[in-house]
DNA sequence: CTTCTTGCAAACCATTTGCATCATT
DNA sequence: AATGATGCAAATGGTTTGCAAGAAG
């Protein structure tokens, strides 16, 4: 939370936007969570504890956070978006178990290297990517 | 179209489903298209030419095709799904240009190898994956 | 003939938006 | 004060669904 709010504040200042209570709350909450969460969860969490913000504000703030690069919007194939902090945490991808819904996070250096080479080869300037693997986790593939 | 319909027919038979005109039309149309297309496009194409099917039928058939493994549902970050034939075509991934919207298809053997190794290492049974790279294509990164 | 499909329109659901009111700078 | 943010509820837009009427086996 320390430099995180600082970063967000700077981002907001640059575009003459204001650092409000609602925005602070959303930011704190998402950085409090260990993994990815959906907008609705975030809204419910906030409502349960400290601040009572509207869903609209949650979505609007999430957009800002994604745009600022501090939060990553991920699609785990549930028909709606999930969000996770992008800073202070190694870049990683997801393996989603289609049976139990478990999400395994992973990262792979070789793969990242391949990705970079690939983009260079195609003259493509890589700014982000989405990579999810679907299948069955160790538990579920046994059955 | 020859063995394609055959395959679909078999799939349907197995679950006591019927091979109807509407389903045939959707199948043919998606296999006629060179790349990915959205449900709405498919619906418009069909309506323009031969068969007049409802959007509901398009979506219902698409679900069946995806479930049968003949069609792949892809998310190009447009807020709605795209579909593309999975058979008779090399497996590939997408690079999406955030500026002009162009979609470059690619495939990379090394990467696929890494992916397989990775899944094995994690005891994860890989059935599908989604991989999209976002950024700027050669044209747009110049500016 | 029975069962499964279709079309239609209404329902859904996550997300967005218009607008009057409120908070931050 | 002035500008931007919020909440609300209504709008959106892709997708799903209930049901009566039609096709396929």
């Amino acid at each position: 939370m320390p430099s995180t709010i600082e970063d967000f504040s700077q981002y907001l200042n640059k575009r003459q936007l204001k650092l409000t209570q609602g925005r602070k709350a959303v930011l704190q909450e998402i950085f409090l969570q260990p993994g990815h969460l959906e907008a609705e969860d975030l809204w419910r969490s906030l409502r349960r504890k400290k601040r009572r913000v509207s869903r609209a504000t949650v979505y609007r703030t999430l957009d800002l956070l994604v745009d600022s690069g501090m939060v990553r919007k991920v699609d785990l194939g549930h028909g709606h978006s999930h969000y996770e902090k992008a800073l202070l945490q190694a870049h990683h991808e997801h393996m989603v178990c289609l049976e139990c819904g478990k999400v395994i996070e992973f990262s792979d250096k070789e793969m990242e290297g391949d990705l970079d080479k690939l983009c260079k080869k195609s003259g493509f300037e890589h700014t982000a990517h989405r990579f999810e693997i679907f299948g069955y986790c160790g538990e579920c593939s046994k059955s």
Side-chain angles (χ1 to χ4, degrees), chain A:
Chain A
M1 270 172 306
S3 69
T4 307
I5 292 233
E6 198 54 36
D7 288 347
F8 193 36
S9 178
Q10 265 179 264
Y11 167 84
L12 293 173
N13 278 333
K14 228 173 279 176
R15 2 201 117 201
Q16 351 225 71
L17 301 178
K18 293 165 179 171
L19 178 58
T20 62
Q21 297 306 320
R23 285 177 179 164
K24 252 189 242 176
V26 171
L27 172 61
Q28 285 179 197
E29 188 58 30
I30 196 166
F31 272 80
L32 215 60
Q33 298 289 337
H36 36 75
L37 76 178
E38 38 196 81
E40 186 70 17
D41 287 339
L42 186 39
W43 178 76
R44 259 189 266 113
S45 287
L46 284 175
R47 156 155 303 234
R48 206 177 306 118
K49 29 178 137 169
K50 39 201 154 200
R51 288 245 30 196
R52 183 161 291 251
V53 288
S54 69
R55 257 178 275 253
T57 294
V58 168
Y59 280 109
R60 287 191 273 232
T61 304
L62 247 12
D63 277 350
L64 291 172
L65 287 168
V66 168
D67 182 65
S68 79
M70 300 177 65
V71 163
R72 203 151 75 108
K73 187 176 188 174
V74 299
D75 177 351
L76 267 20
H78 289 241
H80 57 266
S81 299
H82 285 239
Y83 299 83
E84 65 185 16
K85 47 183 181 292
L87 268 38
L88 311 176
Q89 164 177 267
H91 182 73
H92 66 265
E93 314 300 341
H94 300 107
M95 285 185 191
V96 183
C97 180
L98 300 172
E99 182 70 27
C100 66
K102 184 162 65 185
V103 177
I104 303 169
E105 301 186 343
F106 73 91
S107 70
D108 188 84
K109 286 291 159 226
E110 298 180 60
M111 219 146 191
E112 301 239 331
D114 289 350
L115 194 157
D116 281 341
K117 272 189 285 180
L118 199 57
C119 287
K120 251 176 213 121
K121 200 169 63 186
S122 310
F124 193 84
E125 187 187 333
H126 169 228
T127 61
H129 65 264
R130 170 197 296 143
F131 188 22
E132 272 97 38
I133 303 181
F134 299 95
Y136 302 98
C137 69
E139 301 294 293
C140 296
S141 63
K142 284 168 197 152
S143 53

